[in-house]
Amino acid sequence: MEPISATTTPTTPTQASRGFAASPGSDFNTFLRMLTVQMQNQDPLNPLNATDFAVQLATFSGVEQQVQTNQMLSGLAAQFSLMGMAQLSGWVGQEARTKSDVWYDGAPVLLAPDPAPGADNAVLTVTDATGRLVSRETVPLDGRSYAWLGADATGNPLPEGRYQLRLESRLGDEVLRTDPIPAYAVIEEARRDGDQITLLLKGGISVSADDVTALRKP
């Protein structure tokens, strides 16, 4: 091996620290080897300053701790993920209250109407999957649960399918506001899509777990 001349440009502390900091997840053993080689190849006429050496050692220690912390956080995240799915398994089979569309299969659909303050009447509007208005019916203003029986405007049962339910809060003939109306549906499956939890309701209707406002046993 050829001897290193006195004119060889040493690796500066800034270059070493920058090279490693650019990739925080790198193997910190590589950084330690860099320091060792740097000390061996110092310019005898311009040796490494003790303060700079201390800074490099502090940087090495900080990066090592960061790598270990990241590994620990990754382990905790995996544990929380499994715990979350275990908890969600208890949701399957329960009824979730959401403002999504509903699936009508002949059984009454339980609604939770919430008319606007000041309204003197409230109307439930029912739209089918094609966007056609199929029913309008008056609902109580007291906020109690209301069972939608799935009938059209003439009182005949509607066919099985997906429907959108909305509540018109009215003052006389004026519509104060129109809102999706919360309804209960059975949860058939819980899925994790990345960081999101998706629930599959009866009829294949999917909603985010964040959109569930209440749970209850059937």
Side-chain angles (χ1 to χ4, degrees), residues 17-53:
S17 59
R18 284 180 180 172
F20 191 78
S23 181
S26 300
D27 184 357
F28 49 79
N29 288 329
T30 301
F31 187 63
L32 183 58
R33 288 196 296 269
M34 289 171 59
L35 288 180
T36 303
V37 172
Q38 180 178 330
M39 293 177 63
Q40 292 173 344
N41 297 334
Q42 287 185 83
D43 182 354
L45 302 179
N46 184 25
L48 183 65
N49 183 279
T51 302
D52 293 337
F53 182 66

PDB file of all heavy atoms in Angstrom, residues 17-53:
ATOM      1  N   SER A  17     -19.994  14.265   8.205  1.00  0.00           N
ATOM      2  CA  SER A  17     -21.303  14.332   8.856  1.00  0.00           C
ATOM      3  C   SER A  17     -22.404  14.527   7.840  1.00  0.00           C
ATOM      4  O   SER A  17     -23.473  13.957   7.939  1.00  0.00           O
ATOM      5  CB  SER A  17     -21.323  15.458   9.900  1.00  0.00           C
ATOM      6  OG  SER A  17     -21.049  16.709   9.286  1.00  0.00           O
ATOM      7  N   ARG A  18     -22.132  15.360   6.781  1.00  0.00           N
ATOM      8  CA  ARG A  18     -23.160  15.571   5.773  1.00  0.00           C
ATOM      9  C   ARG A  18     -23.434  14.292   4.995  1.00  0.00           C
ATOM     10  O   ARG A  18     -24.562  13.954   4.673  1.00  0.00           O
ATOM     11  CB  ARG A  18     -22.735  16.674   4.811  1.00  0.00           C
ATOM     12  CG  ARG A  18     -22.872  18.071   5.393  1.00  0.00           C
ATOM     13  CD  ARG A  18     -22.435  19.104   4.382  1.00  0.00           C
ATOM     14  NE  ARG A  18     -22.561  20.444   4.927  1.00  0.00           N
ATOM     15  CZ  ARG A  18     -22.100  21.544   4.313  1.00  0.00           C
ATOM     16  NH1 ARG A  18     -21.472  21.424   3.143  1.00  0.00           N
ATOM     17  NH2 ARG A  18     -22.248  22.712   4.864  1.00  0.00           N
ATOM     18  N   GLY A  19     -22.364  13.562   4.669  1.00  0.00           N
ATOM     19  CA  GLY A  19     -22.555  12.345   3.903  1.00  0.00           C
ATOM     20  C   GLY A  19     -23.416  11.337   4.623  1.00  0.00           C
ATOM     21  O   GLY A  19     -24.218  10.644   4.031  1.00  0.00           O
ATOM     22  N   PHE A  20     -23.285  11.271   5.925  1.00  0.00           N
ATOM     23  CA  PHE A  20     -24.087  10.308   6.684  1.00  0.00           C
ATOM     24  C   PHE A  20     -25.482  10.843   6.952  1.00  0.00           C
ATOM     25  O   PHE A  20     -26.454  10.118   6.891  1.00  0.00           O
ATOM     26  CB  PHE A  20     -23.382   9.974   7.987  1.00  0.00           C
ATOM     27  CG  PHE A  20     -24.000   8.799   8.688  1.00  0.00           C
ATOM     28  CD1 PHE A  20     -23.752   7.506   8.267  1.00  0.00           C
ATOM     29  CD2 PHE A  20     -24.860   8.995   9.752  1.00  0.00           C
ATOM     30  CE1 PHE A  20     -24.316   6.435   8.901  1.00  0.00           C
ATOM     31  CE2 PHE A  20     -25.431   7.921  10.381  1.00  0.00           C
ATOM     32  CZ  PHE A  20     -25.152   6.632   9.953  1.00  0.00           C
ATOM     33  N   ALA A  21     -25.563  12.156   7.237  1.00  0.00           N
ATOM     34  CA  ALA A  21     -26.872  12.731   7.568  1.00  0.00           C
ATOM     35  C   ALA A  21     -27.814  12.663   6.388  1.00  0.00           C
ATOM     36  O   ALA A  21     -29.019  12.686   6.541  1.00  0.00           O
ATOM     37  CB  ALA A  21     -26.706  14.178   8.027  1.00  0.00           C
ATOM     38  N   ALA A  22     -27.258  12.595   5.159  1.00  0.00           N
ATOM     39  CA  ALA A  22     -28.123  12.547   3.996  1.00  0.00           C
ATOM     40  C   ALA A  22     -28.936  11.257   3.964  1.00  0.00           C
ATOM     41  O   ALA A  22     -29.924  11.150   3.281  1.00  0.00           O
ATOM     42  CB  ALA A  22     -27.282  12.651   2.726  1.00  0.00           C
ATOM     43  N   SER A  23     -28.494  10.255   4.720  1.00  0.00           N
ATOM     44  CA  SER A  23     -29.208   8.983   4.778  1.00  0.00           C
ATOM     45  C   SER A  23     -29.283   8.509   6.213  1.00  0.00           C
ATOM     46  O   SER A  23     -28.489   7.685   6.663  1.00  0.00           O
ATOM     47  CB  SER A  23     -28.487   7.933   3.915  1.00  0.00           C
ATOM     48  OG  SER A  23     -29.185   6.709   3.947  1.00  0.00           O
ATOM     49  N   PRO A  24     -30.244   9.052   7.009  1.00  0.00           N
ATOM     50  CA  PRO A  24     -30.305   8.783   8.453  1.00  0.00           C
ATOM     51  C   PRO A  24     -30.460   7.317   8.783  1.00  0.00           C
ATOM     52  O   PRO A  24     -30.070   6.867   9.859  1.00  0.00           O
ATOM     53  CB  PRO A  24     -31.540   9.578   8.903  1.00  0.00           C
ATOM     54  CG  PRO A  24     -31.781  10.574   7.833  1.00  0.00           C
ATOM     55  CD  PRO A  24     -31.289   9.968   6.578  1.00  0.00           C
ATOM     56  N   GLY A  25     -31.026   6.538   7.874  1.00  0.00           N
ATOM     57  CA  GLY A  25     -31.249   5.141   8.184  1.00  0.00           C
ATOM     58  C   GLY A  25     -30.069   4.254   7.845  1.00  0.00           C
ATOM     59  O   GLY A  25     -30.145   3.034   7.929  1.00  0.00           O
ATOM     60  N   SER A  26     -28.924   4.839   7.416  1.00  0.00           N
ATOM     61  CA  SER A  26     -27.757   4.046   7.048  1.00  0.00           C
ATOM     62  C   SER A  26     -27.210   3.302   8.256  1.00  0.00           C
ATOM     63  O   SER A  26     -27.433   3.667   9.405  1.00  0.00           O
ATOM     64  CB  SER A  26     -26.673   4.935   6.458  1.00  0.00           C
ATOM     65  OG  SER A  26     -27.139   5.598   5.309  1.00  0.00           O
ATOM     66  N   ASP A  27     -26.394   2.284   7.965  1.00  0.00           N
ATOM     67  CA  ASP A  27     -25.758   1.507   9.030  1.00  0.00           C
ATOM     68  C   ASP A  27     -24.748   2.395   9.746  1.00  0.00           C
ATOM     69  O   ASP A  27     -23.805   2.898   9.126  1.00  0.00           O
ATOM     70  CB  ASP A  27     -25.067   0.299   8.395  1.00  0.00           C
ATOM     71  CG  ASP A  27     -24.466  -0.629   9.433  1.00  0.00           C
ATOM     72  OD1 ASP A  27     -24.524  -0.309  10.634  1.00  0.00           O
ATOM     73  OD2 ASP A  27     -23.939  -1.671   9.017  1.00  0.00           O
ATOM     74  N   PHE A  28     -24.939   2.595  11.060  1.00  0.00           N
ATOM     75  CA  PHE A  28     -24.031   3.502  11.760  1.00  0.00           C
ATOM     76  C   PHE A  28     -22.631   2.923  11.909  1.00  0.00           C
ATOM     77  O   PHE A  28     -21.684   3.630  12.220  1.00  0.00           O
ATOM     78  CB  PHE A  28     -24.600   3.893  13.140  1.00  0.00           C
ATOM     79  CG  PHE A  28     -25.084   2.747  13.972  1.00  0.00           C
ATOM     80  CD1 PHE A  28     -24.205   1.942  14.669  1.00  0.00           C
ATOM     81  CD2 PHE A  28     -26.443   2.483  14.070  1.00  0.00           C
ATOM     82  CE1 PHE A  28     -24.657   0.893  15.446  1.00  0.00           C
ATOM     83  CE2 PHE A  28     -26.896   1.428  14.848  1.00  0.00           C
ATOM     84  CZ  PHE A  28     -26.019   0.631  15.536  1.00  0.00           C
ATOM     85  N   ASN A  29     -22.452   1.612  11.652  1.00  0.00           N
ATOM     86  CA  ASN A  29     -21.097   1.049  11.644  1.00  0.00           C
ATOM     87  C   ASN A  29     -20.266   1.637  10.505  1.00  0.00           C
ATOM     88  O   ASN A  29     -19.049   1.800  10.615  1.00  0.00           O
ATOM     89  CB  ASN A  29     -21.166  -0.474  11.506  1.00  0.00           C
ATOM     90  CG  ASN A  29     -21.663  -1.136  12.790  1.00  0.00           C
ATOM     91  OD1 ASN A  29     -21.432  -0.625  13.882  1.00  0.00           O
ATOM     92  ND2 ASN A  29     -22.367  -2.247  12.652  1.00  0.00           N
ATOM     93  N   THR A  30     -20.946   1.958   9.400  1.00  0.00           N
ATOM     94  CA  THR A  30     -20.253   2.598   8.282  1.00  0.00           C
ATOM     95  C   THR A  30     -19.691   3.948   8.708  1.00  0.00           C
ATOM     96  O   THR A  30     -18.570   4.329   8.361  1.00  0.00           O
ATOM     97  CB  THR A  30     -21.213   2.776   7.104  1.00  0.00           C
ATOM     98  OG1 THR A  30     -21.713   1.502   6.708  1.00  0.00           O
ATOM     99  CG2 THR A  30     -20.515   3.425   5.918  1.00  0.00           C
ATOM    100  N   PHE A  31     -20.481   4.675   9.481  1.00  0.00           N
ATOM    101  CA  PHE A  31     -20.034   5.983   9.955  1.00  0.00           C
ATOM    102  C   PHE A  31     -18.817   5.838  10.874  1.00  0.00           C
ATOM    103  O   PHE A  31     -17.871   6.624  10.800  1.00  0.00           O
ATOM    104  CB  PHE A  31     -21.195   6.659  10.690  1.00  0.00           C
ATOM    105  CG  PHE A  31     -20.912   8.091  11.087  1.00  0.00           C
ATOM    106  CD1 PHE A  31     -20.681   9.053  10.125  1.00  0.00           C
ATOM    107  CD2 PHE A  31     -20.878   8.462  12.417  1.00  0.00           C
ATOM    108  CE1 PHE A  31     -20.436  10.365  10.480  1.00  0.00           C
ATOM    109  CE2 PHE A  31     -20.620   9.769  12.783  1.00  0.00           C
ATOM    110  CZ  PHE A  31     -20.408  10.734  11.809  1.00  0.00           C
ATOM    111  N   LEU A  32     -18.834   4.810  11.712  1.00  0.00           N
ATOM    112  CA  LEU A  32     -17.699   4.596  12.612  1.00  0.00           C
ATOM    113  C   LEU A  32     -16.431   4.270  11.823  1.00  0.00           C
ATOM    114  O   LEU A  32     -15.334   4.745  12.149  1.00  0.00           O
ATOM    115  CB  LEU A  32     -18.031   3.467  13.590  1.00  0.00           C
ATOM    116  CG  LEU A  32     -16.958   3.151  14.657  1.00  0.00           C
ATOM    117  CD1 LEU A  32     -16.668   4.387  15.499  1.00  0.00           C
ATOM    118  CD2 LEU A  32     -17.416   2.005  15.541  1.00  0.00           C
ATOM    119  N   ARG A  33     -16.567   3.470  10.766  1.00  0.00           N
ATOM    120  CA  ARG A  33     -15.409   3.153   9.930  1.00  0.00           C
ATOM    121  C   ARG A  33     -14.878   4.408   9.233  1.00  0.00           C
ATOM    122  O   ARG A  33     -13.666   4.574   9.067  1.00  0.00           O
ATOM    123  CB  ARG A  33     -15.783   2.088   8.902  1.00  0.00           C
ATOM    124  CG  ARG A  33     -15.979   0.692   9.493  1.00  0.00           C
ATOM    125  CD  ARG A  33     -15.967  -0.381   8.421  1.00  0.00           C
ATOM    126  NE  ARG A  33     -17.094  -0.220   7.502  1.00  0.00           N
ATOM    127  CZ  ARG A  33     -18.276  -0.801   7.681  1.00  0.00           C
ATOM    128  NH1 ARG A  33     -18.493  -1.557   8.739  1.00  0.00           N
ATOM    129  NH2 ARG A  33     -19.238  -0.627   6.803  1.00  0.00           N
ATOM    130  N   MET A  34     -15.791   5.286   8.845  1.00  0.00           N
ATOM    131  CA  MET A  34     -15.366   6.542   8.220  1.00  0.00           C
ATOM    132  C   MET A  34     -14.507   7.356   9.174  1.00  0.00           C
ATOM    133  O   MET A  34     -13.475   7.925   8.793  1.00  0.00           O
ATOM    134  CB  MET A  34     -16.607   7.352   7.791  1.00  0.00           C
ATOM    135  CG  MET A  34     -17.358   6.761   6.618  1.00  0.00           C
ATOM    136  SD  MET A  34     -18.920   7.597   6.334  1.00  0.00           S
ATOM    137  CE  MET A  34     -18.354   9.274   6.054  1.00  0.00           C
ATOM    138  N   LEU A  35     -14.906   7.411  10.442  1.00  0.00           N
ATOM    139  CA  LEU A  35     -14.123   8.155  11.425  1.00  0.00           C
ATOM    140  C   LEU A  35     -12.741   7.528  11.619  1.00  0.00           C
ATOM    141  O   LEU A  35     -11.726   8.223  11.734  1.00  0.00           O
ATOM    142  CB  LEU A  35     -14.873   8.194  12.764  1.00  0.00           C
ATOM    143  CG  LEU A  35     -16.119   9.082  12.846  1.00  0.00           C
ATOM    144  CD1 LEU A  35     -16.727   8.987  14.235  1.00  0.00           C
ATOM    145  CD2 LEU A  35     -15.780  10.521  12.521  1.00  0.00           C
ATOM    146  N   THR A  36     -12.712   6.186  11.653  1.00  0.00           N
ATOM    147  CA  THR A  36     -11.428   5.501  11.850  1.00  0.00           C
ATOM    148  C   THR A  36     -10.465   5.772  10.699  1.00  0.00           C
ATOM    149  O   THR A  36      -9.289   6.095  10.902  1.00  0.00           O
ATOM    150  CB  THR A  36     -11.663   3.997  11.991  1.00  0.00           C
ATOM    151  OG1 THR A  36     -12.570   3.756  13.076  1.00  0.00           O
ATOM    152  CG2 THR A  36     -10.359   3.258  12.257  1.00  0.00           C
ATOM    153  N   VAL A  37     -10.962   5.662   9.458  1.00  0.00           N
ATOM    154  CA  VAL A  37     -10.129   5.931   8.287  1.00  0.00           C
ATOM    155  C   VAL A  37      -9.679   7.374   8.272  1.00  0.00           C
ATOM    156  O   VAL A  37      -8.529   7.694   7.936  1.00  0.00           O
ATOM    157  CB  VAL A  37     -10.906   5.578   7.005  1.00  0.00           C
ATOM    158  CG1 VAL A  37     -10.125   6.033   5.768  1.00  0.00           C
ATOM    159  CG2 VAL A  37     -11.176   4.081   6.939  1.00  0.00           C
ATOM    160  N   GLN A  38     -10.571   8.267   8.674  1.00  0.00           N
ATOM    161  CA  GLN A  38     -10.214   9.689   8.690  1.00  0.00           C
ATOM    162  C   GLN A  38      -9.066   9.954   9.657  1.00  0.00           C
ATOM    163  O   GLN A  38      -8.131  10.703   9.362  1.00  0.00           O
ATOM    164  CB  GLN A  38     -11.437  10.517   9.080  1.00  0.00           C
ATOM    165  CG  GLN A  38     -11.173  12.019   9.139  1.00  0.00           C
ATOM    166  CD  GLN A  38     -12.423  12.803   9.480  1.00  0.00           C
ATOM    167  OE1 GLN A  38     -13.515  12.381   9.152  1.00  0.00           O
ATOM    168  NE2 GLN A  38     -12.254  13.922  10.130  1.00  0.00           N
ATOM    169  N   MET A  39      -9.112   9.307  10.833  1.00  0.00           N
ATOM    170  CA  MET A  39      -8.046   9.515  11.817  1.00  0.00           C
ATOM    171  C   MET A  39      -6.719   8.944  11.308  1.00  0.00           C
ATOM    172  O   MET A  39      -5.648   9.522  11.502  1.00  0.00           O
ATOM    173  CB  MET A  39      -8.437   8.868  13.146  1.00  0.00           C
ATOM    174  CG  MET A  39      -9.616   9.542  13.843  1.00  0.00           C
ATOM    175  SD  MET A  39     -10.085   8.688  15.356  1.00  0.00           S
ATOM    176  CE  MET A  39      -8.582   8.901  16.315  1.00  0.00           C
ATOM    177  N   GLN A  40      -6.786   7.794  10.617  1.00  0.00           N
ATOM    178  CA  GLN A  40      -5.567   7.164  10.110  1.00  0.00           C
ATOM    179  C   GLN A  40      -4.925   7.982   8.999  1.00  0.00           C
ATOM    180  O   GLN A  40      -3.704   7.984   8.832  1.00  0.00           O
ATOM    181  CB  GLN A  40      -5.885   5.753   9.609  1.00  0.00           C
ATOM    182  CG  GLN A  40      -6.267   4.775  10.713  1.00  0.00           C
ATOM    183  CD  GLN A  40      -6.732   3.441  10.157  1.00  0.00           C
ATOM    184  OE1 GLN A  40      -7.046   3.321   8.966  1.00  0.00           O
ATOM    185  NE2 GLN A  40      -6.763   2.427  11.026  1.00  0.00           N
ATOM    186  N   ASN A  41      -5.754   8.678   8.220  1.00  0.00           N
ATOM    187  CA  ASN A  41      -5.257   9.404   7.046  1.00  0.00           C
ATOM    188  C   ASN A  41      -5.165  10.905   7.272  1.00  0.00           C
ATOM    189  O   ASN A  41      -5.207  11.681   6.319  1.00  0.00           O
ATOM    190  CB  ASN A  41      -6.154   9.119   5.845  1.00  0.00           C
ATOM    191  CG  ASN A  41      -6.143   7.665   5.445  1.00  0.00           C
ATOM    192  OD1 ASN A  41      -5.161   6.968   5.703  1.00  0.00           O
ATOM    193  ND2 ASN A  41      -7.210   7.193   4.835  1.00  0.00           N
ATOM    194  N   GLN A  42      -5.082  11.317   8.507  1.00  0.00           N
ATOM    195  CA  GLN A  42      -4.961  12.746   8.775  1.00  0.00           C
ATOM    196  C   GLN A  42      -3.674  13.316   8.190  1.00  0.00           C
ATOM    197  O   GLN A  42      -2.642  12.640   8.113  1.00  0.00           O
ATOM    198  CB  GLN A  42      -4.954  13.010  10.286  1.00  0.00           C
ATOM    199  CG  GLN A  42      -6.296  12.826  10.964  1.00  0.00           C
ATOM    200  CD  GLN A  42      -6.224  13.234  12.414  1.00  0.00           C
ATOM    201  OE1 GLN A  42      -6.330  14.411  12.722  1.00  0.00           O
ATOM    202  NE2 GLN A  42      -6.009  12.265  13.279  1.00  0.00           N
ATOM    203  N   ASP A  43      -3.729  14.577   7.822  1.00  0.00           N
ATOM    204  CA  ASP A  43      -2.532  15.308   7.414  1.00  0.00           C
ATOM    205  C   ASP A  43      -1.745  15.634   8.687  1.00  0.00           C
ATOM    206  O   ASP A  43      -2.244  16.358   9.556  1.00  0.00           O
ATOM    207  CB  ASP A  43      -2.944  16.585   6.681  1.00  0.00           C
ATOM    208  CG  ASP A  43      -1.744  17.371   6.173  1.00  0.00           C
ATOM    209  OD1 ASP A  43      -0.604  16.986   6.495  1.00  0.00           O
ATOM    210  OD2 ASP A  43      -1.962  18.372   5.463  1.00  0.00           O
ATOM    211  N   PRO A  44      -0.517  15.128   8.834  1.00  0.00           N
ATOM    212  CA  PRO A  44       0.256  15.399  10.062  1.00  0.00           C
ATOM    213  C   PRO A  44       0.457  16.884  10.320  1.00  0.00           C
ATOM    214  O   PRO A  44       0.610  17.297  11.469  1.00  0.00           O
ATOM    215  CB  PRO A  44       1.588  14.678   9.802  1.00  0.00           C
ATOM    216  CG  PRO A  44       1.279  13.659   8.762  1.00  0.00           C
ATOM    217  CD  PRO A  44       0.209  14.249   7.904  1.00  0.00           C
ATOM    218  N   LEU A  45       0.448  17.669   9.227  1.00  0.00           N
ATOM    219  CA  LEU A  45       0.639  19.107   9.392  1.00  0.00           C
ATOM    220  C   LEU A  45      -0.651  19.841   9.731  1.00  0.00           C
ATOM    221  O   LEU A  45      -0.643  21.009  10.069  1.00  0.00           O
ATOM    222  CB  LEU A  45       1.242  19.699   8.102  1.00  0.00           C
ATOM    223  CG  LEU A  45       2.587  19.096   7.672  1.00  0.00           C
ATOM    224  CD1 LEU A  45       3.060  19.749   6.388  1.00  0.00           C
ATOM    225  CD2 LEU A  45       3.629  19.260   8.775  1.00  0.00           C
ATOM    226  N   ASN A  46      -1.764  19.102   9.603  1.00  0.00           N
ATOM    227  CA  ASN A  46      -3.061  19.727   9.892  1.00  0.00           C
ATOM    228  C   ASN A  46      -3.967  18.678  10.529  1.00  0.00           C
ATOM    229  O   ASN A  46      -4.933  18.227   9.928  1.00  0.00           O
ATOM    230  CB  ASN A  46      -3.678  20.271   8.596  1.00  0.00           C
ATOM    231  CG  ASN A  46      -4.985  21.011   8.875  1.00  0.00           C
ATOM    232  OD1 ASN A  46      -5.217  21.513   9.970  1.00  0.00           O
ATOM    233  ND2 ASN A  46      -5.843  21.062   7.871  1.00  0.00           N
ATOM    234  N   PRO A  47      -3.644  18.242  11.746  1.00  0.00           N
ATOM    235  CA  PRO A  47      -4.413  17.165  12.384  1.00  0.00           C
ATOM    236  C   PRO A  47      -5.837  17.603  12.709  1.00  0.00           C
ATOM    237  O   PRO A  47      -6.139  18.789  12.766  1.00  0.00           O
ATOM    238  CB  PRO A  47      -3.610  16.880  13.658  1.00  0.00           C
ATOM    239  CG  PRO A  47      -2.919  18.169  13.959  1.00  0.00           C
ATOM    240  CD  PRO A  47      -2.584  18.776  12.617  1.00  0.00           C
ATOM    241  N   LEU A  48      -6.692  16.600  12.902  1.00  0.00           N
ATOM    242  CA  LEU A  48      -8.099  16.856  13.227  1.00  0.00           C
ATOM    243  C   LEU A  48      -8.232  17.573  14.558  1.00  0.00           C
ATOM    244  O   LEU A  48      -7.634  17.165  15.554  1.00  0.00           O
ATOM    245  CB  LEU A  48      -8.866  15.526  13.283  1.00  0.00           C
ATOM    246  CG  LEU A  48     -10.368  15.610  13.544  1.00  0.00           C
ATOM    247  CD1 LEU A  48     -11.079  16.313  12.394  1.00  0.00           C
ATOM    248  CD2 LEU A  48     -10.936  14.210  13.732  1.00  0.00           C
ATOM    249  N   ASN A  49      -8.998  18.620  14.553  1.00  0.00           N
ATOM    250  CA  ASN A  49      -9.231  19.381  15.764  1.00  0.00           C
ATOM    251  C   ASN A  49     -10.052  18.550  16.760  1.00  0.00           C
ATOM    252  O   ASN A  49     -10.991  17.858  16.381  1.00  0.00           O
ATOM    253  CB  ASN A  49      -9.973  20.680  15.414  1.00  0.00           C
ATOM    254  CG  ASN A  49     -10.180  21.577  16.632  1.00  0.00           C
ATOM    255  OD1 ASN A  49     -11.091  21.359  17.399  1.00  0.00           O
ATOM    256  ND2 ASN A  49      -9.321  22.573  16.775  1.00  0.00           N
ATOM    257  N   ALA A  50      -9.681  18.637  18.032  1.00  0.00           N
ATOM    258  CA  ALA A  50     -10.379  17.837  19.052  1.00  0.00           C
ATOM    259  C   ALA A  50     -11.861  18.172  19.117  1.00  0.00           C
ATOM    260  O   ALA A  50     -12.705  17.301  19.328  1.00  0.00           O
ATOM    261  CB  ALA A  50      -9.717  18.063  20.414  1.00  0.00           C
ATOM    262  N   THR A  51     -12.177  19.443  18.932  1.00  0.00           N
ATOM    263  CA  THR A  51     -13.592  19.854  18.977  1.00  0.00           C
ATOM    264  C   THR A  51     -14.372  19.236  17.832  1.00  0.00           C
ATOM    265  O   THR A  51     -15.492  18.726  18.000  1.00  0.00           O
ATOM    266  CB  THR A  51     -13.707  21.387  18.925  1.00  0.00           C
ATOM    267  OG1 THR A  51     -12.988  21.946  20.007  1.00  0.00           O
ATOM    268  CG2 THR A  51     -15.168  21.815  18.984  1.00  0.00           C
ATOM    269  N   ASP A  52     -13.767  19.247  16.605  1.00  0.00           N
ATOM    270  CA  ASP A  52     -14.436  18.643  15.456  1.00  0.00           C
ATOM    271  C   ASP A  52     -14.628  17.144  15.661  1.00  0.00           C
ATOM    272  O   ASP A  52     -15.652  16.573  15.291  1.00  0.00           O
ATOM    273  CB  ASP A  52     -13.617  18.874  14.185  1.00  0.00           C
ATOM    274  CG  ASP A  52     -13.574  20.351  13.793  1.00  0.00           C
ATOM    275  OD1 ASP A  52     -14.496  21.078  14.207  1.00  0.00           O
ATOM    276  OD2 ASP A  52     -12.627  20.751  13.098  1.00  0.00           O
ATOM    277  N   PHE A  53     -13.638  16.495  16.255  1.00  0.00           N
ATOM    278  CA  PHE A  53     -13.746  15.072  16.511  1.00  0.00           C
ATOM    279  C   PHE A  53     -14.895  14.785  17.483  1.00  0.00           C
ATOM    280  O   PHE A  53     -15.668  13.834  17.312  1.00  0.00           O
ATOM    281  CB  PHE A  53     -12.429  14.543  17.058  1.00  0.00           C
ATOM    282  CG  PHE A  53     -12.415  13.065  17.307  1.00  0.00           C
ATOM    283  CD1 PHE A  53     -12.504  12.168  16.249  1.00  0.00           C
ATOM    284  CD2 PHE A  53     -12.325  12.564  18.599  1.00  0.00           C
ATOM    285  CE1 PHE A  53     -12.503  10.807  16.478  1.00  0.00           C
ATOM    286  CE2 PHE A  53     -12.328  11.196  18.822  1.00  0.00           C
ATOM    287  CZ  PHE A  53     -12.416  10.305  17.759  1.00  0.00           C
TER     288      PHE A  53
END
